[in-house]
Structures are given as structure tokens and as C-alpha cells.
Amino acid sequence: ATNAAILVITVTAVVPTGSSGINTSSNTTEQLSQTKQCVASIYQKSLVFSEIFPNPKGRDTGQEWIELFNPTAEHIQLCDLLIVDGKHEDTSFDLTNLSIPAYGYLTVGDETLGFTLGNQEGLLSILEKTIGTVFDLVSYIQAPEGKSYSRLES
């Protein structure tokens, strides 16, 4: 057991009741509110960018991607984290409800991200959205065509 703080976020979903989810005795659907909790792992602060591919040969859209690495021995359920494109403060991708196995990778393409990466320059961060803590940051200039950037072990 650890003494680390755990952030709990409550997400409420509406789920139909009954076997079919429809009350056949009337025109209404009975609904039951269920609560699912997203608990931020103390390990998600270890999450890092392992590789980015901002400038593929030819058309960029649909070919760019970002890869994240979990360097811990623990499976991480992501909660309340964003990948933020720093040059466009309103441009981000919510990582909540995704997970990364121990010593595993998560690759997210630009079409899933909802934004493309800059070819001339870029600034990406992994941001805890409630507190604003940046867990990792990567920047680059003049991305070479057809080449990715990868993190080197130090």
C-alpha cells in the first residue's frame, strides 16, 4: 500500500432497464443512472512520449501518429489526461478510459487525435487536465519528411 493521493472522477451514464431496455406498457423508456469511477493511477505520471511521426512522405493526414510508453511494471488505466498540441491551446485529445499495459505502448493516429502535427515546428504535452500538471513534453523544429522522432534512453 502507498500513501500517494488518488484522484477520483465520477462519470454518470444512462442505461435502459429491462431485458430490451424498453418498457412495452407505455411509450416511455425507464432509465437507471449508473455511476462508473475513473481512478487516476499514481503511475500515469510516469507516462512519456516514446515516438512521434509528424511529417510522413506525401499526404500527412491519416499518416501521422504519436506513441506513448508506460515505463512502469503496472498496467495504467488513464484518467483525466490530455495530449495537448501546444501551439494550439484548444487542440487536445482526451486519453481518459484508455489504458497501457506494463512496459507497453499506446499509438494514437492523427485522425483519432482530431488534429495534425506541425511539419515546421511542434510542441506536444501530456497534461493532467484537473490540476494542469505536465507529465511529459516534446518539441521539435523542421520535421524531416518520412522520419520519426523517438526518445532515447539516457
Side-chain angles (χ1 to χ4, degrees), residues 22-133:
I22 299 174
N23 181 346
T24 55
S25 64
S26 71
N27 293 332
T28 63
T29 301
E30 273 186 65
Q31 297 182 333
L32 172 66
S33 178
Q34 293 185 341
T35 301
K36 178 181 177 185
Q37 289 188 341
C38 180
V39 179
S41 166
I42 60 169
Y43 299 102
Q44 74 181 14
K45 68 182 177 193
S46 301
L47 192 64
V48 295
F49 291 105
S50 55
E51 191 170 5
I52 61 171
F53 189 50
N55 191 10
K57 288 186 178 183
R59 181 174 177 243
D60 286 6
T61 304
Q63 305 299 313
E64 298 175 341
W65 46 265
I66 295 169
E67 182 182 78
L68 304 176
F69 176 60
N70 170 7
T72 73
E74 301 292 326
H75 177 94
I76 298 177
Q77 177 68 40
L78 303 177
C79 182
D80 213 23
L81 286 183
L82 299 172
I83 293 175
V84 177
D85 183 355
K87 62 185 185 335
H88 305 295
E89 292 179 13
D90 294 335
T91 306
S92 64
F93 175 73
D94 194 338
L95 293 163
T96 299
N97 296 323
L98 297 177
S99 63
I100 305 178
Y103 305 112
Y105 296 88
L106 172 69
T107 302
V108 184
D110 62 347
E111 290 182 331
T112 301
L113 287 169
F115 59 88
T116 57
L117 306 175
N119 292 342
Q120 299 304 311
E121 63 181 356
L123 175 66
L124 298 166
S125 60
I126 301 171
L127 177 74
E128 196 285 326
K129 63 185 178 181
T130 304
I131 303 169
T133 303

